[in-house]
Amino acid sequence: MGQNQASENSEFVQFKAPGFSQTNTPTHTNTHVHKHAHTCAHTYRHTHAHTSTHTLPLMLSKPSLFYFEGTRVPVHLAGRSRVFMSRAVSEECGSAVDTMALSLGWLSAAVSGLVCAHALQRTRFPYFWRDLVFLLRVVRYGARLEFYRWRRSVRTVLDRFVEQAQRVPNKPFVIYEGTAHTYRDVEQRSNRLANVFLDSVGLQRGDCVAMLMNNEPDYLCVWFGLAKVGCTAAFLNTNIRSGSLLHCLDCCGARTLLVGSDLLECLESILLDLQQRNIQVWTMKSHVRYPQVCSLLEQLDVGSDKLVPAELRATTSITAPAMYIFTSGTTGLPKAAVITHLQSLKAASGFSAFGATESDVIYTSLPLYHSAASLVGIGGTIELGATCVLKKKFSASQFWPDCRNHGVTIFQYIGELCRYLCNQPKTEMDQVHKVRMGVGNGLRQDVWRKFLLRFGNIKLCEIYGSTEGNLCFMNHIGKTGAVGRSNVFYKLLFKYDLVKYDLVKDEPVRDQHGFCQRVKKGETGLLLSRVSGISPFFGYAGNKQLTEKKLMRNVLVKGDAYFNTGDLMAEDQEGFICFRDRVGDTFRWKGENVATTEVAEVLSVVDFVQEVNVYGVEIPGHEGRAGMAALIVRPGFVFDGDKLFDCAVKDLPAYARPLFARLRVTSRFLLNCCCFFEF
């Protein structure tokens, strides 16, 4: 029989052979092996003769190969051969076989378990690993914030910017209108502004300074310059006018107003009021024709870019106010939401939580006076050490050319922005870009699907959260239509509840004990976020009553406190959160919250208006709701559309102006067909 044939028809048995090792038998022929086999059997018989064990014949019915322990040399025994082994050897061989079988059993069981677990995870928990990775990023960053709180030494967003300016000084930080401003450029200009604020403007640590500026690099330089001297910036909405603007200055207690060069004319009607209130006005303009306004640029030309003492910006409390951002909230005039260092640092981690890196280029066309652009957009860019392409305003026709020219990989959006892009004429270049992710809010499902179908595989990550709120949802999975994602791990850290809401009575439903009732999975309920040490609510500046009004107490147990988001939401079986509607005296239009009471108060001063009620109405193909003003005309007066138009333009932001008027004639309403503004 040939060697190959013997190998194919052989059984393999391994047993111990005393004195037979690899070191003393490097090579063997078949003849030598036969001799060794019989010698080993004979040796075992005589070695164990004094014991009660007996030799056992091992019958081999077909050609066999033996491997002796300690060697890699096979022993081939052809035909019917007899090898004698002692009972001890037999039992030892059997024990080895049993151990091997047991090990193989455990191994197969473990493999089967892993396969079953993987199959179960894929079917029942398909998002487990992505949830875990996302949560680990969030927890890691949260641990850093808790360390700041414990150490009482905070590394703020500004501190992080200074670090990046030292680490990557020549890297573009902001690209604006085709010009790149490096981290060093912004750092040096903000230093010069900081010196001007100290030497010429007369600011002191702890002062509040209001900013009324459009998107531009100097917005960031002014913001950072104020922070470097320890001042708190108040970001004003550039759409507000006259009375609302004065109200905002009173809310935050600002005694200095910094105005962009292109917005100075908007203040013409209230410059005397500002002077009477001892509010100094400075502008980023060289030549000013108003005697009440001073030029920052003239002082900047002769200012120094030396570093101001770091002690001025240092803070020991992570809950100290970093800035004020104004929001219309749900009722009344704009309110100054207190933004602490804790909130600004949390927002700055958003891009990182979604998996962004320092090599990303982020496109921001949202207004910097909103938290989405300033805290998430700019703050996130600084945290990563990335580059931001900043636009003064969004342009649907320039968006994709900008993305291609600058290699944009991430863009910020609101729902209207994506709809505008989908309404642009189709081109062959629609999917020629490097954009891989969009981060924003307010995107409708139909627009979401159209956007992906047309522009390619772009992961759209929704963020839900109000400026002043203590809860944030993030749709890190990118599931269409969801504003956020929740799971068991998330609920352990951030406590929230969806409770039943009575739309007729416009209030939460409470049981016989006065407590709210949770809704079931899939049902719509009012979203409430529990106020705790992990999720504090800091409220509004200068108005404790408004702060308390946003809280609900004794919700589920006596003594608890929840932040009322004013939003109706639903959570499906997989843990995805979907927005349903808003409650209260508010609606959302053009990405802004419109307070109906504020609009009604402004329109009620028109002489022919006896009563006015403002509410939002849906318009097919548009996000949010447009304003409708239902009017009752005073007896003896007639409706004057021009007067109503002038009043709205003068005293209301563009997004808050009603598009429609509904007039009451005698005992019934007639729908007026006039549309005040384009939408």
Side-chain angles (χ1 to χ4, degrees):
M1 180 182 294
Q3 185 175 358
N4 294 337
Q5 186 177 357
S7 299
E8 293 174 356
N9 299 315
S10 299
E11 293 178 349
F12 293 87
V13 182
Q14 179 176 345
F15 63 90
K16 293 184 178 180
F20 192 76
S21 62
Q22 185 175 2
T23 56
N24 56 27
T25 55
T27 58
H28 296 274
T29 63
N30 281 345
T31 303
H32 291 141
V33 168
H34 278 285
K35 290 180 179 180
H36 276 296
H38 289 290
T39 301
C40 290
H42 179 75
T43 302
Y44 264 89
R45 183 174 57 218
H46 289 283
T47 302
H48 298 278
H50 63 281
T51 66
S52 59
T53 58
H54 301 281
T55 59
L56 298 175
L58 176 64
M59 297 301 297
L60 303 175
S61 59
K62 58 181 179 179
S64 302
L65 286 178
F66 282 79
Y67 278 97
F68 287 87
E69 186 178 276
T71 76
R72 300 299 301 169
V73 182
V75 179
H76 177 67
L77 301 179
R80 297 183 59 86
S81 302
R82 183 185 300 264
V83 177
F84 291 92
M85 294 188 300
S86 69
R87 182 181 299 275
V89 173
S90 176
E91 290 177 354
E92 190 170 353
C93 290
S95 176
V97 171
D98 290 343
T99 302
M100 181 179 297
L102 184 62
S103 300
L104 290 175
W106 277 109
L107 181 61
S108 61
V111 172
S112 300
L114 289 174
V115 171
C116 292
H118 179 68
L120 181 65
Q121 180 261 314
R122 292 290 299 271
T123 55
R124 297 293 302 274
F125 308 101
Y127 308 107
F128 175 81
W129 294 112
R130 282 185 283 177
D131 284 342
L132 183 62
V133 171
F134 176 79
L135 190 67
L136 288 176
R137 291 172 182 159
V138 173
V139 170
R140 182 179 61 184
Y141 199 83
R144 186 196 305 176
L145 300 185
E146 288 301 315
F147 177 71
Y148 293 158
R149 191 199 301 266
W150 172 78
R151 195 178 61 174
R152 298 186 63 81
S153 178
V154 183
R155 190 195 68 171
T156 64
V157 173
L158 177 63
D159 292 331
R160 180 62 172 165
F161 170 76
V162 174
E163 290 176 5
Q164 300 289 22
Q166 295 172 352
R167 187 179 70 89
V168 285
N170 297 320
K171 183 175 183 176
F173 172 45
V174 175
I175 299 175
Y176 182 77
E177 294 183 349
T179 302
H181 303 264
T182 66
Y183 278 86
R184 178 190 283 122
D185 294 336
V186 177
E187 164 73 355
Q188 291 177 346
R189 189 167 178 83
S190 63
N191 285 338
R192 298 181 71 182
L193 280 164
N195 284 289
V196 170
F197 293 150
L198 290 174
D199 301 334
S200 301
V201 183
L203 297 180
Q204 297 180 355
R205 176 183 168 92
D207 288 347
C208 178
V209 180
M211 293 174 54
L212 185 67
M213 300 177 67
N214 282 315
N215 286 13
E216 57 178 309
D218 270 344
Y219 193 109
L220 307 179
C221 296
V222 169
W223 171 14
F224 297 163
L226 290 172
K228 286 181 177 182
V229 298
C231 292
T232 304
F235 296 168
L236 298 180
N237 190 319
T238 56
N239 292 297
I240 60 175
R241 297 290 182 269
S242 58
S244 293
L245 196 151
L246 294 172
H247 165 80
C248 290
L249 295 175
D250 290 338
C251 283
C252 62
R255 288 295 171 263
T256 303
L257 174 62
L258 304 180
V259 187
S261 59
D262 54 344
L263 292 173
L264 188 57
E265 282 68 25
C266 300
L267 299 179
E268 188 172 3
S269 62
I270 62 169
L271 282 176
L272 289 178
D273 293 317
L274 294 172
Q275 189 175 22
Q276 291 173 0
R277 296 171 185 238
N278 294 322
I279 296 176
Q280 58 175 334
V281 181
W282 291 76
T283 183
M284 298 295 290
K285 197 173 183 178
S286 297
H287 304 288
V288 184
R289 62 186 179 90
Y290 303 105
Q292 306 95 330
V293 181
C294 304
S295 172
L296 268 177
L297 288 185
E298 292 177 358
Q299 300 295 327
L300 197 61
D301 291 338
V302 297
S304 170
D305 60 358
K306 67 178 182 181
L307 295 174
V308 298
E311 293 77 14
L312 290 176
R313 70 170 188 267
T315 179
T316 59
S317 174
I318 199 170
T319 58
M323 66 191 71
Y324 301 110
I325 295 181
F326 285 86
T327 172
S328 57
T330 55
T331 58
L333 291 166
K335 297 177 283 292
V338 179
I339 306 299
T340 64
H341 291 293
L342 174 64
Q343 292 164 289
S344 62
L345 287 168
K346 282 182 177 180
S349 68
F351 288 142
S352 178
F354 283 132
T357 66
E358 65 176 336
S359 62
D360 281 308
V361 179
I362 300 164
Y363 191 92
T364 298
S365 58
L366 305 180
L368 288 171
Y369 56 74
H370 276 329
S371 57
S374 55
L375 301 185
V376 179
I378 298 300
T381 301
I382 293 172
E383 176 64 26
L384 295 169
T387 299
C388 176
V389 178
L390 183 66
K391 298 289 291 184
K392 184 175 182 179
K393 289 184 178 180
F394 170 73
S395 170
S397 61
Q398 296 177 10
F399 178 82
W400 289 115
D402 285 342
C403 290
R404 297 185 193 100
N405 292 338
H406 301 297
V408 172
T409 56
I410 299 174
F411 75 101
Q412 289 189 276
Y413 69 85
I414 56 175
E416 289 88 343
L417 186 152
C418 294
R419 177 169 58 83
Y420 296 152
L421 292 175
C422 289
N423 290 339
Q424 288 292 106
K426 293 184 178 181
T427 70
E428 296 178 353
M429 302 290 287
D430 281 347
Q431 296 194 15
V432 180
H433 56 75
K434 296 181 180 179
V435 177
R436 64 181 180 87
M437 186 190 303
V439 178
N441 59 75
L443 186 57
R444 298 203 323 260
Q445 289 193 38
D446 58 333
V447 177
W448 196 320
R449 294 189 183 96
K450 290 179 182 178
F451 186 88
L452 295 181
L453 184 63
R454 177 171 173 181
F455 299 111
N457 187 23
I458 300 174
K459 184 179 180 181
L460 297 176
C461 301
E462 285 267 313
I463 297 180
Y464 169 83
S466 59
T467 302
E468 71 275 36
N470 66 336
L471 176 69
C472 177
F473 288 127
M474 304 174 77
N475 181 7
H476 64 94
I477 300 295
K479 182 176 180 179
T480 303
V483 301
R485 167 98 177 123
S486 181
N487 52 56
V488 175
F489 307 115
Y490 188 88
K491 291 178 180 178
L492 291 175
L493 297 175
F494 308 101
K495 306 296 184 181
Y496 70 91
D497 283 286
L498 295 173
V499 300
K500 294 181 179 179
Y501 192 83
D502 191 327
L503 292 174
V504 177
K505 295 182 180 180
D506 198 23
E507 62 183 20
V509 176
R510 293 183 180 264
D511 60 19
Q512 65 272 22
H513 303 293
F515 298 125
C516 294
Q517 304 175 49
R518 293 187 177 97
V519 300
K520 297 178 181 179
K521 280 287 185 71
E523 294 182 349
T524 299
L526 178 66
L527 177 62
L528 305 177
S529 174
R530 187 172 181 178
V531 178
S532 64
I534 296 179
S535 303
F537 172 59
F538 299 101
Y540 307 103
N543 199 322
K544 292 184 178 180
Q545 291 181 344
L546 288 176
T547 299
E548 184 63 30
K549 194 173 181 179
K550 289 294 295 184
L551 296 176
M552 286 180 58
R553 301 188 181 276
N554 303 320
V555 175
L556 298 174
V557 296
K558 189 173 182 180
D560 64 10
Y562 280 76
F563 172 76
N564 183 4
T565 66
D567 292 328
L568 297 178
M569 315 282 277
E571 181 176 346
D572 65 17
Q573 298 297 329
E574 293 184 314
F576 289 99
I577 312 292
C578 297
F579 176 82
R580 293 289 184 252
D581 204 353
R582 293 185 67 84
V583 299
D585 299 326
T586 185
F587 59 88
R588 194 165 180 83
W589 182 249
K590 297 290 186 182
E592 303 275 2
N593 291 328
V594 180
T596 58
T597 53
E598 177 188 0
V599 180
E601 288 175 5
V602 170
L603 299 182
S604 63
V605 301
V606 180
D607 57 4
F608 66 81
V609 176
Q610 178 174 322
E611 285 185 38
V612 58
N613 183 37
V614 178
Y615 52 93
V617 294
E618 291 184 343
I619 299 178
H622 291 75
E623 291 78 9
R625 297 173 184 265
M628 170 78 78
L631 305 168
I632 298 179
V633 180
R634 290 182 185 276
F637 287 80
V638 295
F639 174 79
D640 189 336
D642 291 336
K643 281 187 178 181
L644 195 65
F645 179 88
D646 293 340
C647 176
V649 171
K650 178 184 176 184
D651 296 324
L652 287 174
Y655 62 85
R657 298 164 189 165
L659 300 189
F660 307 101
R662 191 179 185 215
L663 304 180
R664 180 174 179 177
V665 179
T666 63
S667 61
R668 59 193 180 93
F669 278 99
L670 295 179
L671 191 62
N672 196 304
C673 295
C674 73
C675 178
F676 294 143
F677 304 96
E678 274 187 35
F679 54 83

